[in-house]
Amino acid sequence: MDSSEKQKMALIKEVLLQLGISKRCFPLVFRSLNLDEIEMTEDGNPADMESVKDRILEIWSKYVPVQKVEEPEEERYTLEDVKKMSASEINENYAAIRLSLFGD
């Protein structure tokens, strides 16, 4: 294995880690890719890293974990909450208060 192949493998490992693919799958991924198809620039970077990612995802997408993005729970205010607030607190939370009380 020459240095360019080692460099390509290191880059692919980095991509696999970014995608969240298990290290146990790495050997299978490497066997499914043709390292000769990955073109490198003179400075040692892949010419088109997105195409490398796309190729990996094309074959291995079912092994990429899907991360659920939890939206922060909106602050809900009741009329009683607002009555207890100072004018500055009401001003700071005005949009959330309007949404809670009036739905707009």
Side-chain angles (χ1 to χ4, degrees):
M1 181 180 309
D2 66 11
S3 63
S4 69
E5 283 184 343
K6 286 181 183 178
Q7 190 174 17
K8 289 176 185 181
M9 289 181 74
L11 289 167
I12 292 170
K13 282 182 185 179
E14 186 178 315
V15 170
L16 296 175
L17 289 172
Q18 288 172 1
L19 292 173
I21 294 177
S22 170
K23 288 183 180 181
R24 290 181 287 171
C25 294
F26 284 14
L28 296 171
V29 174
F30 284 117
R31 279 187 246 146
S32 70
L33 296 174
N34 182 354
L35 294 179
D36 294 331
E37 291 177 356
I38 301 172
E39 294 181 30
M40 304 294 279
T41 60
E42 289 179 11
D43 60 354
N45 293 314
D48 187 8
M49 194 61 171
E50 285 305 310
S51 68
V52 173
K53 284 182 183 179
D54 291 345
R55 175 72 177 134
I56 292 169
L57 287 173
E58 182 181 312
I59 300 170
W60 297 97
S61 62
K62 61 184 165 190
Y63 299 101
V64 176
V66 177
Q67 296 178 349
K68 292 184 180 178
V69 177
E70 291 186 28
E71 295 190 23
E73 199 171 300
E74 289 184 22
E75 188 84 36
R76 300 301 269 172
Y77 297 98
T78 64
L79 186 55
E80 290 74 32
D81 293 332
V82 177
K83 287 180 180 178
K84 295 175 189 173
M85 292 179 160
S86 68
S88 64
E89 287 176 309
I90 293 171
N91 287 336
E92 287 175 21
N93 300 294
Y94 185 75
I97 291 169
R98 282 204 51 95
L99 182 64
S100 296
L101 298 179
F102 307 110
D104 60 2

